[in-house]
Amino acid sequence: MVTNPRRERDRSQREQLIVTTAREIAEEEGWDAVTTRRLAAKIEYSQPVLYSHFSGKGAIMAAAALEGCTEMAADMRKGARAAEGSREALLRLAGNYFDFADRKPALYDAIFTLASELSFASPDSPAPLKDAFGALLEVVGPVAGRYDPALYTETFWAALHGLVTLERSRRLPAAARAERIGMLVDRFAVGG
């Protein structure tokens, strides 16, 4: 079957418009405000056009989450590679992780807290998910000591995610963020 390059480009641009618009609505009003009807009206396409690209809201959120993982991986790598020593690298990584969650709360939710069609932590996980974990592993893995680097990284990530989630839900006061990150990093920087 021969594909028309312009048709494929137009299709790709429509998909990107749908995902970008969904992300904008979600960041302004939350994911509950994102509906196919509202998206169709906002981008001036019919609902059947949206469904020709995505099976529904879950698929749109999954596409947004994949974009978010790519962005998050880039954010987490900022400065961590140039850090002097593992403690500073872990501090920068944790700070960048929190910054991402602060700047893009709805996107963070699409990646980590809402039900997802994506397959996490498996061989068939999409590349952006693997890359986001890889950004963590690059910094945390080298300090794992006697522990498996991937498991050590997962545990660091789980602790970091827990701090983000508890702070965002106002269960922990944000004023102590730096101190909490410092304690977490100090514990993990020593390795096994």
Side-chain angles (χ1 to χ4, degrees), residues 43-58:
I43 66 173
E44 300 177 342
Y45 283 104
S46 67
Q47 282 184 286
V49 170
L50 264 72
Y51 285 112
S52 73
H53 292 277
F54 297 99
S55 61
K57 180 178 172 178

Side-chain angles (χ1 to χ4, degrees), residues 31-95:
W31 282 104
D32 287 342
V34 178
T35 64
T36 55
R37 176 174 285 147
R38 183 157 182 207
L39 280 171
K42 190 152 181 151
I43 66 173
E44 300 177 342
Y45 283 104
S46 67
Q47 282 184 286
V49 170
L50 264 72
Y51 285 112
S52 73
H53 292 277
F54 297 99
S55 61
K57 180 178 172 178
I60 294 168
M61 284 177 43
L66 291 175
E67 282 185 3
C69 284
T70 298
E71 295 168 22
M72 180 177 240
D75 283 2
M76 287 190 295
R77 287 183 172 108
K78 286 180 187 170
R81 290 180 176 156
E84 292 184 30
S86 60
R87 185 177 190 284
E88 183 182 339
L90 287 167
L91 283 171
R92 287 185 184 189
L93 175 76

